[in-house]
Amino acid sequence: MILDDYTKTLLNINKLPLVLTNEDLKRQFQVSDSTLNRLVKLSDFPNCWYGIRGHYSRDQVIEWYQKNDYEDFKEKMRLLRSV
């Protein structure tokens, strides 16, 4: 079962374009515009691909996703909401 899940995940990753747009990210993360904007601004999210606003390297986004536990982002969001 675990191998099947891993294989399915790998296949889904390989189907993604090499450069992800904001629309791709919203679809993959299932978040709104405002949540995506906060995520990009408040975390160590990868820089824009070659400086093109709203475009990100798939490999950098996947690496960022795999290394983060989101606790820092959650804490920053909690603090912002309390202001």
Side-chain angles (χ1 to χ4, degrees):
M1 229 8 141
I2 293 174
L3 183 59
D4 290 339
D5 291 341
Y6 181 71
T7 302
K8 185 177 178 181
T9 301
L10 279 179
L11 289 173
N12 286 336
I13 288 171
N14 287 330
K15 289 180 185 176
L16 293 172
L18 293 176
V19 177
L20 301 172
T21 64
N22 284 344
E23 292 301 317
D24 295 325
L25 294 174
K26 288 189 305 186
R27 191 176 327 105
Q28 291 302 315
F29 294 148
Q30 298 179 357
V31 296
S32 66
D33 284 323
S34 59
T35 301
L36 179 61
N37 288 334
R38 283 185 230 133
L39 185 64
V40 169
K41 290 178 185 176
L42 294 180
S43 68
D44 60 342
F45 199 80
N47 292 327
C48 291
W49 180 74
Y50 287 102
I52 302 172
R53 188 171 161 208
H55 292 72
Y56 305 91
S57 163
R58 174 190 70 188
D59 296 339
Q60 288 179 351
V61 170
I62 291 169
E63 181 181 328
W64 169 84
Y65 183 80
Q66 290 173 339
K67 77 174 187 164
N68 283 293
D69 65 4
Y70 308 106
E71 290 307 316
D72 184 49
F73 176 71
K74 289 177 189 176
E75 179 61 21
K76 286 179 182 176
M77 291 305 300
R78 188 186 65 71
L79 291 172
L80 276 177
R81 288 187 185 118
S82 68
V83 173

